[in-house]
């Protein structure tokens, strides 16, 4: 087959007296045939058309002209593909006009009434905030911080509305119930592995730290310059991810390279297509009708092809998901999927026997501690911001958590941002009283506010438990972070006055507590996946809070969604504005990839309900936020028992699985 194609190309393209094409030219021509599923005769017709278009019937076929010809073929086929999709979409929509929807806030469909009736909201003046008329009405008084009422069953704030033709004035901050008057403090709301007992309270802290902390992430790579993204770099990052997954699928399923093909090219042969799930309309939510597969430049010239999934029993897709589909494109208009290929997972985390023995000895407290029959389990607390309610900056939930850690002599506490939250009404407006020790200072800044409100209780905790390990992970909503995009560099520990026992890490990060591999990201990927996911058939029967983390595990990434959700679809901020959103720096998305193994514990704080699940032997924890908008929230307590190595495992002397999900009790408690 190979020799016949070469012979035919030489016969069509070689000019006498030469009978064979140069090897580099022949390679480029064969690449065009393979990429677009063309025959040599069809390619020759396109070459003749190209020669006429270039203005010379004697165009010389060398390497440069062949590459220019290849680019022209790709562009022409892409134009044809776009034309087919446009024609098909117009045909579908021409018979059924779109249904008009009423505007938010109860306005009429086309704004025809526009406030003329007494009970009809006048939406034009309230919605056109960027108009010149709105600017002329702007006042320059000190801002009055506002917060609107919340629905008891939702964290999303109710949007304020204009009344008639009058300008709407936001109310002052509503005073909520005092934190000290809260009920059900310390109540356990969810438990995993309740057969494991809680650790017994210690009478004094251990003399040495029982945790050997390590990082599986190169923190220096996160100190890149944000807001300097080049489109070419972003395109290459997205393209390379598809090609990398092609190698993974090929190795996992034992496929030959000839099994892969271009799904956008018409062919009667069944192929395996690798690509990224996308929507044919960036404004609408992903659904069965809008699903398209975006190919890489290597395998499909970056073209998109609609997917037909009638033969698939069920699927759970989201934009940015890398998939392998077996099917056929017989019509040239869509790719009919016959099978969804299983995604290869990273191997579970393992450690050598010698390392495990040293970790078990360390959990006993070291040689200077009292001899115990069995090492005490690690006591780890986990909390996520915000750390104070919307009506104050007292940070009472954070102080209560630090008191809990010091009272139980916790081995570690993991805190994820936001700390000084950009979406907090008082922080957003700047209308708040400074702490007493800063009230008369001339150098007051958000850094000094952080030192007083956040660092001070952590310093007290470090003095009470000298060997505690404190992990500080930022959020893109942190007002003191100079890094405005995700992935995000660590907060400056010394500048913020954090204690020496505090370790400031990047967002996201992979760390180790002894042998346990822990992956943490403060970005709320679960909520955005819930917003953008398209589910059908058997996949919809799976538990939502188990299905969403599975996407992260299969995609080997802390934030596999692309593009991220619109800010308008995220929970409204407490400052009556749009949410901060994902703030992705696409050129550095590889910093969010998982490396050699699945984490033992995956910490993903989210606006979704708190939960703890075991997914593919990964312990997934959403602790909830320590403080809600109106009152106290929740946190997680981990009781991590040492690994018991069996005699058989010792005799084999090989790498041993950690099995953290079996020997760790997780309790989610109210603060």
């Amino acid at each position: 087959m190979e020799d016949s194609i070469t012979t035919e190309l030489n016969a069509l393209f070689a000019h006498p007296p030469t009978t064979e094409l140069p090897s580099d030219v022949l390679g480029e021509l064969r690449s065009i045939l393979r990429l677009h599923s063309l025959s040599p005769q069809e390619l020759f017709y396109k070459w003749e058309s190209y020669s006429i278009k270039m203005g010379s019937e004697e165009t010389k076929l060398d390497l440069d002209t062949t590459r220019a010809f290849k680019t022209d073929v790709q562009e022409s086929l892409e134009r044809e593909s776009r034309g087919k999709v446009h024609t098909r979409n117009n045909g579908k929509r021409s018979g059924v006009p779109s249904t008009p929807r009423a505007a938010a806030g109860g306005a009429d469909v086309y704004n025809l009434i526009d406030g003329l009736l007494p009970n009809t909201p006048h939406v034009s003046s309230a919605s056109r905030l960027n108009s010149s008329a709105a600017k002329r009405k702007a006042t320059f008084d000190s801002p009055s911080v506002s917060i609107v009422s919340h629905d008891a069953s939702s964290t999303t704030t109710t949007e304020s509305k204009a009344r008639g033709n009058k300008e709407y004035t936001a109310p002052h901050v509503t005073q909520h119930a005092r934190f000290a008057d809260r009920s059900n403090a310390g109540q356990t709301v969810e438990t995993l592995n309740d057969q494991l007992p809680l650790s017994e309270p210690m009478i004094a802290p251990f003399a040495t730290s029982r945790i050997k902390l390590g990082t599986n992430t190169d923190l220096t790579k996160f100190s890149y310059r944000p807001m300097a993204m080049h489109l070419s770099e972003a395109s290459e990052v997205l393209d390379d991810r598809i090609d990398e997954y092609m190698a993974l699928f090929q190795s996992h399923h034992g496929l030959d390279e000839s099994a892969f093909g271009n799904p956008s090219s018409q062919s009667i042969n069944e192929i395996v297509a690798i690509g990224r799930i996308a929507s044919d309309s960036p404004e609408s939510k992903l659904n069965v009708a809008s699903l398209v597969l975006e190919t890489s430049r290597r395998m499909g010239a970056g073209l998109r092809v609609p997917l037909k999934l009638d033969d698939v029993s069920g699927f759970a897709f989201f934009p940015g998901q890398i998939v392998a589909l077996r099917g056929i494109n017989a019509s040239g208009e869509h790719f009919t999927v016959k099978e969804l290929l299983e995604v290869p997972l990273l191997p579970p985390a393992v450690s050598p026997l010698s390392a495990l023995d040293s970790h078990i000895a360390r959990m006993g407290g070291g040689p200077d501690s009292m001899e115990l029959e069995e090492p005490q389990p690690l006591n780890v607390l986990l909390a996520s911001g915000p750390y104070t309610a919307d009506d104050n900056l007292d940070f009472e939930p954070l102080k209560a958590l630090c008191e809990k850690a010091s009272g139980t002599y916790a081995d570690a506490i993991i805190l994820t941002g936001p700390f000084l939250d950009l979406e907090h009404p008082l922080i957003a407006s700047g209308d708040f009283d400074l702490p007493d020790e800063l009230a008369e200072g001339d150098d007051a800044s958000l850094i000094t506010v952080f030192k007083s409100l956040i660092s001070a209780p952590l310093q007290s905790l470090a003095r009470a438990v000298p060997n505690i390990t404190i992990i500080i992970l930022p959020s893109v909503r942190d007002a003191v972070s100079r890094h405005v995009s995700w992935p995000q560099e660590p907060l400056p520990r010394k500048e913020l006055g954090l204690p020496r026992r505090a370790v400031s890490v990047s967002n996201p990060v992979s760390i180790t507590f002894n042998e346990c591999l822990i992956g943490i990201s403060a970005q709320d990927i679960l909520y955005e996946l819930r917003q953008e996911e398209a589910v059908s058939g058997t996949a919809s029967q799976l538990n939502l809070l188990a299905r969403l983390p599975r996407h992260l595990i299969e995609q080997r990434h802390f934030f596999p969604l692309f593009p991220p959700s619109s800010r308008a679809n995220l929970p409204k901020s407490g400052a009556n504005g749009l949410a901060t959103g994902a703030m992705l720096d696409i050129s550095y998305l590889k910093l969010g990839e998982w490396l050699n193994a699945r984490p033992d514990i995956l910490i993903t704080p989210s606006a979704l309900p708190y939960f703890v699940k075991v997914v593919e032997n990964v312990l997934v924890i959403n602790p909830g936020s320590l403080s809600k908008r109106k009152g106290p929230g929740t946190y997680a307590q981990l009781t991590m028992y040492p690994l018991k190595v069996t005699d058989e495992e010792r005799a084999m002397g090989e790498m041993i699985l950690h099995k953290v999900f079996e020997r760790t009790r997780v309790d989610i408690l109210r603060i």
Side-chain angles (χ1 to χ4, degrees):
M1 184 67 180
E2 300 273 337
D3 294 338
S4 62
I5 293 177
T6 301
T7 302
E8 193 171 357
L9 288 174
N10 286 327
L12 291 171
F13 288 90
H15 289 281
T18 60
T19 58
E20 293 185 358
L21 295 172
S23 59
D24 52 357
V25 174
L26 186 62
E28 289 291 337
L29 293 177
R30 293 181 64 86
S31 174
I32 300 174
L33 295 178
R34 182 173 61 256
L35 192 62
H36 303 291
S37 299
L38 299 174
S39 67
Q41 188 65 50
E42 291 174 331
L43 184 63
F44 182 69
Y45 290 151
K46 293 183 180 294
W47 166 252
E48 289 184 327
S49 301
Y50 176 75
S51 299
I52 295 173
K53 183 173 67 173
M54 296 305 293
S56 174
E57 296 183 1
E58 298 296 328
T59 303
K60 183 180 179 181
L61 187 64
D62 56 17
L63 182 60
D64 293 334
T65 57
T66 306
R67 288 176 175 173
F69 170 55
K70 181 179 181 180
T71 302
D72 182 79
V73 172
Q74 291 176 346
E75 292 175 350
S76 63
L77 291 176
E78 187 174 355
R79 286 193 298 269
E80 292 176 7
S81 178
R82 285 200 301 264
K84 290 180 180 179
V85 173
H86 180 70
T87 303
R88 182 172 64 257
N89 289 342
N90 287 343
K92 288 181 178 179
R93 296 169 184 169
S94 59
V96 183
S98 59
T99 304
R101 302 293 182 188
D108 60 293
V109 175
Y110 295 108
N111 288 334
L112 297 178
I113 301 176
D114 199 23
L116 297 179
L117 298 180
N119 295 328
T120 305
H122 180 75
V123 299
S124 57
S125 62
S127 60
R128 299 165 189 164
L129 297 179
N130 294 326
S131 65
S132 58
K135 292 180 181 178
R136 288 194 297 270
K137 292 180 181 180
T139 60
F140 298 93
D141 299 333
S142 298
S144 60
V145 182
S146 60
I147 179 170
V148 292
S149 61
H150 300 261
D151 184 29
S153 62
S154 173
T155 60
T156 306
T157 60
T158 306
E159 294 183 357
S160 58
K161 299 178 176 62
R163 299 293 182 182
N165 294 324
K166 298 179 181 180
E167 290 293 328
Y168 176 75
T169 303
H172 290 283
V173 174
T174 304
Q175 294 296 323
H176 304 148
R178 293 196 314 156
F179 180 79
D181 298 334
R182 69 193 186 281
S183 59
N184 301 325
Q187 178 187 12
T188 301
V189 293
E190 187 168 346
T191 301
L192 178 74
N193 290 334
D194 56 358
Q195 75 277 7
L196 299 174
L198 291 169
S199 58
E200 298 179 1
M202 304 295 293
I203 59 175
F206 285 93
T208 59
S209 175
R210 300 198 299 153
I211 292 178
K212 181 181 181 181
L213 179 65
T215 59
N216 285 24
T217 302
D218 188 354
L219 301 183
T220 59
K221 292 183 178 180
F222 288 79
S223 299
Y224 62 89
R225 186 176 65 174
M227 301 179 67
M229 179 173 57
H230 298 284
L231 289 179
S232 59
E233 295 178 358
S235 174
E236 290 175 1
V237 168
L238 296 174
D239 211 50
D240 291 345
R241 183 163 168 80
I242 299 177
D243 292 336
E244 290 170 0
Y245 260 78
M246 176 180 170
L248 293 175
F249 279 107
Q250 182 178 357
S251 174
H252 180 72
H253 293 279
L255 300 173
D256 189 77
E257 189 170 355
S258 60
F260 299 93
N262 181 2
S264 61
S265 297
Q266 183 176 359
S267 174
I268 61 174
N269 298 321
E270 187 176 83
I271 63 169
V272 175
I274 307 290
R276 177 182 292 106
I277 294 296
S279 174
D280 63 358
S281 175
E283 292 82 14
S284 62
K285 185 181 183 298
L286 191 69
N287 55 60
V288 178
S290 65
L291 275 170
V292 296
L293 185 70
E294 180 181 280
T295 61
S296 67
R297 283 173 288 191
R298 174 190 170 194
M299 292 303 300
L303 297 176
R304 290 183 171 187
V305 58
L307 297 178
K308 187 176 181 181
L309 297 157
D310 296 343
D311 298 334
V312 179
S313 61
F315 61 84
F317 289 151
F318 62 89
Q321 182 179 9
I322 308 298
V323 295
L325 311 175
R326 191 189 301 276
I328 188 173
N329 186 354
S331 65
E333 295 186 355
H334 59 260
F335 186 75
T336 302
V337 181
K338 303 294 184 181
E339 179 187 1
L340 307 180
L341 270 65
E342 181 185 10
V343 181
L345 303 180
L346 281 170
V350 294
S351 295
L353 180 60
S354 58
L356 291 175
D357 287 338
S358 64
H359 295 322
I360 295 173
R362 183 179 294 105
M363 290 181 66
D368 297 333
S369 62
M370 295 186 300
E371 290 293 334
L372 300 176
E373 294 183 359
E374 186 174 342
Q376 286 288 313
L378 294 177
N379 178 20
V380 179
L381 301 184
L382 165 62
S384 174
Y387 292 93
T388 189
D390 276 359
D391 63 337
N392 66 78
L393 290 177
D394 295 334
F395 287 89
E396 292 174 300
L398 177 62
K399 296 175 182 177
L401 183 67
C402 291
E403 292 175 0
K404 167 75 174 179
S406 62
T408 58
Y409 299 115
D411 294 285
I413 181 171
I414 301 175
L415 304 176
T416 68
F419 297 95
L420 292 184
D421 189 2
L422 287 170
E423 297 184 5
H424 192 286
L426 302 180
I427 298 293
S429 67
D431 186 12
F432 60 89
D433 295 330
L434 293 172
D436 294 337
E437 61 270 20
L438 301 177
E440 299 180 358
D442 295 332
D443 59 346
S445 64
L446 286 176
I447 298 295
T448 54
V449 172
F450 187 98
K451 290 180 179 179
S452 175
L453 300 180
I454 306 295
S455 299
L458 294 179
Q459 291 280 8
S460 300
L461 172 60
R463 287 191 294 267
V465 188
N467 293 308
I468 190 173
T469 299
I470 304 174
I471 304 296
I472 302 292
L473 188 139
S475 165
V476 293
R477 288 164 50 182
D478 271 305
V480 295
S481 176
R482 293 188 293 265
H483 223 243
V484 297
S485 57
W486 190 96
Q488 187 179 14
E489 71 176 358
L491 296 176
R493 184 183 66 83
K494 292 183 179 180
E495 184 178 350
L496 296 176
L498 293 168
R500 290 187 176 182
R501 296 299 305 177
V503 180
S504 182
V505 296
S506 60
N507 174 27
V509 71
S510 293
I511 60 176
T512 55
F513 278 7
N514 297 336
E515 78 282 356
C516 179
L517 179 60
I518 305 175
I520 316 172
S521 176
Q523 198 65 38
D524 190 353
I525 177 60
L526 299 183
Y527 187 91
E528 296 197 31
L529 283 176
R530 178 67 182 90
Q531 293 290 107
E532 303 297 331
E533 187 186 37
V535 188
S536 177
T538 55
S540 61
Q541 301 174 8
L542 300 176
N543 181 274
L544 171 68
L545 299 181
R547 187 177 70 240
L548 297 180
R550 188 184 302 275
H551 289 317
L552 308 187
I553 297 171
E554 291 180 346
Q555 297 294 301
R556 309 179 179 195
H557 204 283
F558 286 105
F559 201 98
L561 179 67
F562 181 82
S565 295
S566 169
R567 296 170 63 192
N569 295 333
L570 301 177
K572 296 294 186 295
S573 71
N576 288 340
L578 289 175
T580 305
M583 308 292 289
L584 298 184
D585 197 313
I586 303 172
S587 300
Y588 293 91
L589 282 184
K590 287 188 71 68
L591 295 177
E593 290 183 352
W594 298 358
L595 298 178
N596 302 320
R598 301 199 298 268
D600 295 309
I601 299 176
L602 178 61
I603 299 172
T604 57
S606 174
L608 295 177
Y610 52 78
F611 70 88
V612 52
K613 299 285 185 184
V614 177
V615 183
E616 297 292 346
N617 294 344
V618 177
L619 186 57
V620 186
I621 305 173
N622 170 24
S625 58
L626 192 66
S627 177
K628 299 179 181 179
R629 295 271 166 80
K630 287 187 174 182
T634 56
Y635 68 97
Q637 180 176 3
L638 283 68
T639 307
M640 305 174 64
Y641 282 82
L643 177 64
K644 294 182 178 179
V645 183
T646 64
D647 295 336
E648 294 180 359
E649 290 173 331
R650 290 188 176 276
M652 295 177 64
E654 297 178 353
M655 305 296 281
I656 298 175
L657 294 173
H658 295 166
K659 303 176 185 177
V660 173
F661 66 95
E662 293 181 349
R663 55 187 175 93
T664 299
R665 172 177 175 143
V666 182
D667 295 277
I668 297 181
L669 306 98
R670 301 187 188 277
I671 187 62

